[in-house]
Amino acid sequence: MTEHWTEQMKNQVNTLEELTKYINVSDGEREAIETLKTKWGTSPYFASLMDKNDPNCPIRRQVIPSLEEQTNTYGMDNYLVWKENRATEEIRPDSIARQYHDRIAFTVVQVCGIYCRHCFRKELVVDQDLQLNFDVEEGLAWIAEHPEIRDVLITGGDPLLLSDEKLAYLIGRLREMPHIQMIRIGSRLPIVLPQRVTEGLKKAIGGYHRVPVWINTQCNHPKEITEKTAQAIYELMSCGINVGNQAVLLKGINDDVDTFRELHQKLLRTRIRPYYVFYCEPAPGIDHFRTPVEKGAELIRDGLRGHTTGLAQPMYVLATKIGKIPLMPDYYITDKNQKEYTVRNYKGETTTIPNVPE
Ligand code: SF4
């Protein structure tokens, strides 16, 4: 298998013929690939992590289209336009999505290292029913004219698929703006293409500067983490870039206590800080990945809180058009009176502490 990231991208596994080199394709997978008009595929490296014989392999389910994507009972049509407030009166370039006063998401590219079957931007990135114009210069000009923006999330698609030169230019332009205090990059490449972390990339986006760069990746199952992932994360950290994880809660993939705990413990062992677990958003055609909303809080309660270090505790949130809504478990204060609070721990034991009147 070729190691260089550009070769990996050129040789993406995105045809039935290629896929059969890695797994025994099931009848359902074959039919979905042959009938659905959808973009799919991933790097040869990530494809090599798939279970050859199990169609329920968590990596197979994230990579390979499913006939279930044709069902849309609960998803919202035009989800992305709703979610990213694209139908508001504020005039913004297509590349700028805004839910907060002081931070924006800046979409710079539409290609990915994996076309996740559960992607909330599916209409745009995977199914490509929604056409937007992502002009980087136009986006940079808009950010320069908005001094209230202090934090820019560079997103896509996958921004780390830009060349080192383009990334250096983009980061450099943002760092020159006096109102920009931090830059975040959302990228699945540390997981699906760790070969992307090269000396050139480190030079382009890392190093000491007034404006730090943070990367948030997406890893949903412990099987996605290898020795190569660990090396790539170490390299990013060695040039000043912290890496966090934004998992998506996915039915049949990570919605059981053991997998959920192992995922978060393994992330920490790999030096990735668990940051968010997102409720799988109601984009069209991904009903089959969605659990009840309460599920994430239950998993944190039953699998993480008290069961493993506090460093492994992500925030469970629902991402909406009005921002993220925290959905953390809430069972700790069981009673309160003038004199004391009664509090409960993860084992169900209770104790009391004195109340302080306001
Ligand atoms: S890498 Fe990100 S943008 Fe691309 S398909 Fe996956 S979740 Fe969507």
Side-chain angles (χ1 to χ4, degrees):
M1 190 190 302
T2 171
E3 281 302 312
H4 198 270
W5 75 273
T6 51
E7 289 298 311
Q8 285 264 333
M9 283 306 291
K10 259 189 233 146
N11 295 316
Q12 276 218 329
V13 179
N14 54 13
T15 63
L16 199 47
E17 197 191 347
E18 274 300 310
L19 189 62
T20 52
K21 294 182 187 159
Y22 294 84
I23 58 165
N24 292 318
V25 181
S26 72
D27 292 345
E29 288 168 332
R30 184 179 299 273
E31 196 182 339
I33 289 169
E34 283 170 348
T35 52
L36 300 185
K37 280 204 193 98
T38 181
K39 198 161 182 178
W40 71 278
T42 192
S43 63
Y45 159 79
F46 202 58
S48 76
L49 305 182
M50 294 192 283
D51 187 295
K52 201 169 163 49
N53 295 313
D54 180 8
N56 286 320
C57 161
I59 297 185
R60 273 169 80 152
R61 288 201 54 217
Q62 291 180 72
V63 172
I64 305 171
S66 157
L67 291 171
E68 289 178 292
E69 291 172 35
Q70 295 173 111
T71 307
N72 184 36
T73 310
Y74 307 105
M76 293 164 64
D77 289 329
N78 285 323
Y79 178 71
L80 204 58
V81 170
W82 175 85
K83 161 78 189 298
E84 296 189 337
N85 292 308
R86 292 185 175 276
T88 62
E89 282 175 8
E90 185 185 45
I91 297 174
R92 294 187 302 268
D94 283 354
S95 59
I96 305 288
R98 187 173 202 180
Q99 280 141 351
Y100 300 96
H101 175 69
D102 66 344
R103 51 206 190 272
I104 47 105
F106 182 18
T107 305
V108 296
V109 66
Q110 220 170 307
V111 287
C112 297
I114 169 177
Y115 292 91
C116 309
R117 306 324 304 167
H118 56 271
C119 177
F120 80 89
R121 311 189 108 198
K122 198 163 185 282
E123 296 153 292
L124 177 77
V125 177
V126 180
D127 295 341
Q128 304 191 336
D129 300 331
L130 178 66
Q131 303 291 327
L132 295 171
N133 173 28
F134 298 129
D135 183 324
V136 170
E137 289 303 326
E138 195 186 24
L140 285 169
W142 186 93
I143 297 167
E145 284 163 13
H146 286 76
E148 74 277 15
I149 303 298
R150 40 173 292 281
D151 173 355
V152 174
L153 165 65
I154 302 176
T155 184
D158 202 310
L160 292 189
L161 287 176
L162 292 178
S163 67
D164 295 343
E165 294 70 28
K166 285 194 175 141
L167 281 166
Y169 170 76
L170 184 58
I171 300 289
R173 285 285 307 276
L174 288 170
R175 280 177 158 168
E176 277 166 13
M177 298 180 198
H179 52 286
I180 298 302
Q181 297 174 5
M182 62 182 284
I183 298 167
R184 288 176 288 156
I185 297 176
S187 170
R188 269 206 95 171
L189 293 200
I191 301 299
V192 302
L193 189 59
Q195 295 84 347
R196 176 64 187 100
V197 181
T198 57
E199 287 304 312
L201 180 74
K202 286 166 64 179
K203 208 162 156 224
I205 66 174
Y208 181 76
H209 194 278
R210 173 186 68 87
V211 181
V213 171
W214 296 71
I215 288 181
N216 283 311
T217 193
Q218 185 194 139
C219 176
N220 301 317
H221 191 278
K223 218 181 149 175
E224 296 171 43
I225 298 173
T226 68
E227 182 61 30
K228 279 203 174 7
T229 327
Q231 282 166 4
I233 302 303
Y234 182 80
E235 289 301 317
L236 287 168
M237 292 183 81
S238 74
C239 68
I241 298 175
N242 280 295
V243 184
N245 189 54
Q246 309 191 131
V248 183
L249 180 59
L250 298 170
K251 190 158 132 191
I253 290 182
N254 58 17
D255 67 336
D256 64 281
V257 168
D258 290 343
T259 305
F260 196 76
R261 187 190 297 127
E262 172 60 9
L263 168 65
H264 288 92
Q265 291 178 336
K266 199 166 177 186
L267 284 166
L268 272 193
R269 297 206 296 277
T270 315
R271 301 181 174 80
I272 301 175
R273 171 80 162 94
Y275 171 41
Y276 279 131
V277 169
F278 283 100
Y279 178 65
C280 184
E281 297 181 37
I286 57 173
D287 290 352
H288 54 297
F289 284 115
R290 301 224 306 284
T291 62
V293 171
E294 292 84 357
K295 189 72 187 178
E298 289 167 14
L299 289 166
I300 290 173
R301 182 193 65 198
D302 299 341
L304 300 185
R305 284 281 169 86
H307 298 278
T308 194
T309 167
L311 275 173
Q313 316 281 327
M315 173 88 88
Y316 176 47
V317 292
L318 176 64
T320 75
K321 66 176 293 187
I322 55 169
K324 295 185 187 73
I325 313 291
L327 299 168
M328 296 299 277
D330 180 16
Y331 60 88
Y332 307 107
I333 298 179
T334 59
D335 198 17
K336 175 189 168 184
N337 58 37
Q338 293 283 16
K339 212 168 123 250
E340 62 190 14
Y341 287 93
T342 305
V343 289
R344 185 164 66 192
N345 76 359
Y346 72 104
K347 290 180 184 162
E349 299 162 340
T350 58
T351 187
T352 55
I353 56 158
N355 193 356
V356 180
E358 279 191 45

